[in-house]
Amino acid sequence: MLDIRSLSKKFGSGDSAFQALKSIDITIEEGEFFTLLGPSGCGKTTLLRLIAGFEQPSGGQLVLDGKDIATIPPNHRPVNTVFQSYALFPHMTVAQNVAFGLEARGTNPAEIAPRVDEILEIVQMAHLRDRKSSQMSGGQQQRVALARALAPRPRILLLDEPLSALDLKLRKQMQFELKRLQRELGLTFIFVTHDQDEALTMSDRIAVMDGGTLQQVADPRTLYDHPANRFVAEFIGEANFLSGTVAGGKLSLSGQAPVPLPHGADASGPVTVMIRPEQVVVGSAGGNAVTLDGQIEALVFSGTDTHVTLRLENGDTLSLRAPNNSHATTTFAEGEPLRVALPVDALRLLPEDIANAA
Amino acid sequence: MANKRFDVTHVPGAATIAIVTFLALYIPVLILVVNAFNGSDTAGRWEGLSLRWFAAALDNAAFRSAAVNSVIVALAAALLSTCLATAVALAVTRGRQIKGQGSIVIIVNQPLLVPEIVFGIALMVVLAQVKQVTGYQGLGYLIAAHTTFCIPFAFLPIRARLAGMDLTLETASMDLYAGRFYTFRRVTLPLLLPGILTGFMLAFVISLDNVVVSSLVKSPGQETLPTYLMGELRRNLTSEIYAISALLLFASISIVAASWVITRTKQ
Ligand SMILES: Nc1ncnc2c1ncn2[C@@H]1O[C@H](COP(=O)(O)OP(=O)(O)OP(=O)(O)O)[C@@H](O)[C@H]1O
Ligand SMILES: [Mg+2]
């Protein structure tokens, strides 16, 4: 539905020029909850502003429903934004704020009032319709901002870190409500966040960005299970990295006996191998696995798990989660030796070049 | 620790100095106002409260014409300077970033830099020629001159208000299908209004009170309230002058108070 084609954005010119986005390609599907995730300054807001029309791209196309909208001014794009600062009009009431887009667009006045009522009902703000927007809590302003952007029935709703100003409890609640709303309306959301938990729990698909480039676009499970590179692996969840070599279709890790490559993997030469801490098995594992010995360096009890930091014989560290459902973890002590196994199918081979750059 | 911080109100004598300064500033004005209510024939000798000098002033055709002139000039100059100041303030804060924006602000504030008497003499010389060529002797010259020196006063509060305004509000308006003009009318202007009103009132009061430029620019026989008062003073200090001064004072105070009330309630 929205095709972002080799979109790039350069700020300034000459020596002070800054390439904020480098040739971004994404296709966003109808009705999708699509998230832009990445560290501060990676260009998330810039991409969103390009889609909204507040900035002009330096190159590339933005194709919405088959039409290139890159040069259309924001007031003619069927796209609305929920701003991080909410940006509610302080001189207007809640209802006037919500009606604004409909009025500016020249909607038949007879249709405006019912639509405002309907949308205020949906975000549960009908009881505050005559409040001035400055006399409301952050969560309430958030709902009004959402209602105001939804009222004109946009094709796409853009949300720039809409929850970052809310406290944790309210944030969790709004995450849930936003997701429910998006499902019920069947509307396409493009959601910006730098909170990976938020991205994982809410999104249908996530685009991970860094330094103005796209690192990977995938659904949350794939991002976690099959990160495309070291940056994604580190940014989403926790990861252990080990260096290994592939020769003759076999992988050798930290001088251990070669094991077959993980299912579907294909590489040769030096590789970076990633494994999630919860995939590391204490003791020895059945099937294909790499067995490693080390010394317990740190132990942190966290209820269901014990977080163990292991110092391997070659000096690398490995973190793992040992479940507390057996008594094994009670015998752990710092400085004691521990043998762990890395099941081959939990290993991920990452391209070496990006690993070095990171 | 907090109570050991330097606090000017705890410096010995500070309060006394403040009170003395305050009295020195306001006692003469108070004396003037009291004298305006003096029922005596001769100024300076108290003979009980009376409004007779106010009545005499209102009866005085010369005063009435000067007052009408003053109000017309002040209204017109305030209106024009506020419009111009709004346009300039918008251009400086909202327009595309152009080189020389700083110099625009300096030009706008020029009347604050050039001594008033210099500005007045310059205008007088030029306008004398213009008057001769065109033959026009009306209030237009005063209005134009007042507009010029009122602009910086109108500009100040408007620019402050604009600078404090959240730019995302205008972005949000554009996002919600509003064009530039619609955005200006429904978002920028309403939010700017308190600043514009304050600017207008300030310009009005500044114009109402001007002597130097007015007396140099006015055509023969034309008077504004301050120039009329200056002329009368040269002849004789009467209780009527006190009454007129008091009226001018009340007008100024009520305008400033009104602007204060309006901006307070608009917040
Ligand atoms: N108008 C501009 N002029 C110059 N550089 C800009 C401009 N806007 C953004 N940038 C730069 O582009 C980069 C990306 O900015 P952007 O706001 O898109 O980051 P972001 O991913 O949204 O970060 P955050 O999570 O902190 O909001 C930053 O390095 C920023 O300094
Ligand atoms: Mg941002």
Side-chain angles (χ1 to χ4, degrees):
Chain A
M1 179 190 73
L2 179 69
D3 247 328
I4 302 170
R5 296 186 190 152
S6 16
L7 199 69
S8 63
K9 176 67 187 175
K10 197 161 129 188
F11 287 111
S13 56
D15 287 346
S16 61
F18 179 78
Q19 192 79 37
L21 290 178
K22 296 164 194 154
S23 190
I24 302 285
D25 280 287
I26 307 174
T27 300
I28 293 164
E29 305 293 341
E30 180 94 54
E32 198 173 19
F33 196 116
F34 193 90
T35 298
L36 303 174
L37 175 68
S40 187
C42 72
K44 307 179 295 287
T45 299
T46 305
L47 182 52
L48 215 61
R49 288 175 62 84
L50 284 171
I51 298 172
F54 308 142
E55 303 277 1
Q56 293 293 307
S58 320
Q61 288 168 302
L62 266 175
V63 181
L64 178 62
D65 300 328
K67 211 170 99 203
D68 188 359
I69 58 164
T71 52
I72 297 179
N75 52 331
H76 292 299
R77 293 189 192 194
V79 165
N80 289 146
T81 309
V82 176
F83 294 85
Q84 183 170 1
S85 59
Y86 313 137
L88 296 177
F89 304 125
H91 57 298
M92 297 183 192
T93 63
V94 167
Q96 285 167 338
N97 264 284
V98 176
F100 188 92
L102 297 164
E103 286 164 4
R105 195 181 223 186
T107 308
N108 180 356
E111 291 167 21
I112 294 180
R115 176 67 179 159
V116 169
D117 290 341
E118 179 192 348
I119 210 83
L120 283 177
E121 208 58 63
I122 291 177
V123 300
Q124 298 157 23
M125 287 296 292
H127 59 297
L128 294 178
R129 54 174 300 135
D130 295 320
R131 272 281 178 90
K132 275 276 166 62
S133 55
S134 46
Q135 304 162 342
M136 289 187 302
S137 73
Q140 292 168 337
Q141 291 186 35
Q142 169 71 68
R143 285 163 195 270
V144 178
L146 193 62
R148 185 179 69 173
L150 286 173
R153 302 179 201 274
R155 289 282 285 127
I156 305 178
L157 191 72
L158 308 176
L159 304 103
D160 192 354
E161 308 204 17
L163 308 180
S164 63
L166 305 179
D167 65 52
L168 189 67
K169 187 157 170 257
L170 197 54
R171 190 142 118 210
K172 291 275 175 234
Q173 186 191 341
M174 282 305 290
Q175 281 177 4
F176 177 77
E177 281 187 38
L178 263 183
K179 184 68 194 165
R180 182 182 56 89
L181 196 69
Q182 186 264 340
R183 275 221 195 92
E184 278 171 12
L185 300 174
L187 187 62
T188 311
F189 275 34
I190 303 181
F191 183 88
V192 165
T193 182
H194 56 233
D195 178 342
Q196 48 133 335
D197 285 333
E198 199 166 278
L200 290 175
T201 54
M202 297 176 80
S203 322
D204 293 323
R205 280 195 306 154
I206 301 171
V208 181
M209 298 172 64
D210 185 39
T213 59
L214 213 53
Q215 301 294 318
Q216 188 172 8
V217 183
D219 61 279
R221 173 136 240 147
T222 308
L223 274 186
Y224 190 79
D225 283 346
H226 297 278
N229 56 46
R230 185 169 179 150
F231 176 82
V232 176
E234 265 182 323
F235 197 76
I236 299 195
E238 264 186 86
N240 292 300
F241 299 100
L242 302 161
S243 45
T245 332
V246 178
K250 292 246 176 193
L251 168 72
S252 36
L253 211 56
S254 309
Q256 303 294 309
V259 290
L261 285 183
H263 184 72
D266 180 25
S268 69
V271 289
T272 298
V273 175
M274 191 279 288
I275 184 165
R276 300 284 182 197
E278 69 272 17
Q279 303 275 17
V280 177
V281 179
V282 175
S284 45
N288 281 322
V290 179
T291 309
L292 296 172
D293 287 303
Q295 228 181 19
I296 296 177
E297 195 166 82
L299 282 172
V300 177
F301 176 78
S302 82
T304 54
D305 294 321
T306 299
H307 296 195
V308 184
T309 308
L310 203 63
R311 173 73 59 187
L312 299 177
E313 281 167 349
N314 68 356
D316 286 350
T317 57
L318 186 80
S319 32
L320 59 130
R321 309 263 176 280
N324 290 333
N325 53 9
S326 72
H327 284 291
T329 54
T330 56
T331 63
F332 290 0
E334 285 175 14
E336 294 290 308
L338 186 71
R339 168 165 291 192
V340 295
L342 317 182
V344 165
D345 280 328
L347 300 178
R348 299 288 173 260
L349 271 52
L350 303 177
E352 182 74 0
D353 51 343
I354 297 173
N356 285 342
Chain B
M1 290 308 273
N3 55 356
K4 281 195 178 169
R5 277 214 336 260
F6 177 78
D7 185 345
V8 81
T9 53
H10 291 153
V11 175
T16 324
I17 292 172
I19 291 169
V20 169
T21 314
F22 191 76
L23 292 180
L25 280 172
Y26 286 100
I27 282 182
V29 177
L30 208 65
I31 292 172
L32 179 144
V33 173
V34 171
N35 271 304
F37 291 94
N38 188 357
S40 152
D41 280 340
T42 36
R45 214 177 58 223
W46 184 256
E47 275 183 24
L49 273 178
S50 155
L51 290 174
R52 60 178 284 204
W53 293 109
F54 288 96
L58 293 176
D59 243 7
N60 177 346
F63 159 75
R64 284 206 310 266
S65 121
V68 169
N69 279 348
S70 265
V71 170
I72 291 174
V73 170
L75 272 180
L79 198 69
L80 287 172
S81 58
T82 311
C83 290
L84 287 169
T86 307
V88 174
L90 278 171
V92 171
T93 49
R94 289 292 186 279
R96 196 175 299 199
Q97 296 292 315
I98 43 166
K99 277 191 184 148
Q101 263 181 7
S103 54
I104 293 177
V105 176
I106 293 174
I107 290 169
V108 165
N109 287 327
Q110 162 271 329
L112 299 179
L113 303 174
V114 178
E116 201 184 352
I117 184 76
V118 177
F119 177 63
I121 293 171
L123 269 185
M124 182 187 74
V125 174
V126 174
L127 291 183
Q129 300 289 322
V130 177
K131 283 176 189 172
Q132 213 160 34
V133 173
T134 60
Y136 172 69
Q137 299 275 336
L139 286 174
Y141 303 109
L142 279 175
I143 292 174
H146 280 219
T147 301
T148 315
F149 67 71
C150 282
I151 287 177
F153 296 96
F155 182 70
L156 237 67
I158 296 172
R159 191 169 118 115
R161 184 91 193 164
L162 258 182
M165 200 187 290
D166 181 4
L167 270 177
T168 10
L169 294 178
E170 286 163 33
T171 312
S173 164
M174 303 279 234
D175 186 58
L176 291 162
Y177 311 102
R180 280 188 188 286
F181 182 71
Y182 194 84
T183 299
F184 179 74
R185 191 165 63 80
R186 292 221 37 207
V187 179
T188 318
L189 192 62
L191 290 172
L192 202 53
L193 210 56
I196 292 178
L197 284 175
T198 311
F200 181 89
M201 305 270 188
L202 256 177
F204 188 89
V205 171
I206 295 286
S207 162
L208 200 62
D209 158 70
N210 185 271
V211 185
V212 177
V213 172
S214 294
S215 53
L216 291 169
V217 166
K218 73 189 175 68
S219 304
Q222 222 172 38
E223 298 290 358
T224 64
L225 262 188
T227 63
Y228 171 75
L229 280 178
M230 292 299 282
E232 289 299 291
L233 266 180
R234 248 171 244 138
R235 268 180 263 152
N236 206 350
L237 184 63
T238 63
S239 292
E240 196 182 329
I241 291 181
Y242 287 132
I244 294 172
S245 307
L247 284 176
L248 200 52
L249 179 70
F250 296 149
S252 267
I253 290 177
S254 15
I255 289 163
V256 173
S259 105
W260 191 73
V261 169
I262 288 171
T263 39
R264 289 289 311 244
T265 52
K266 274 274 172 189
Q267 289 299 313

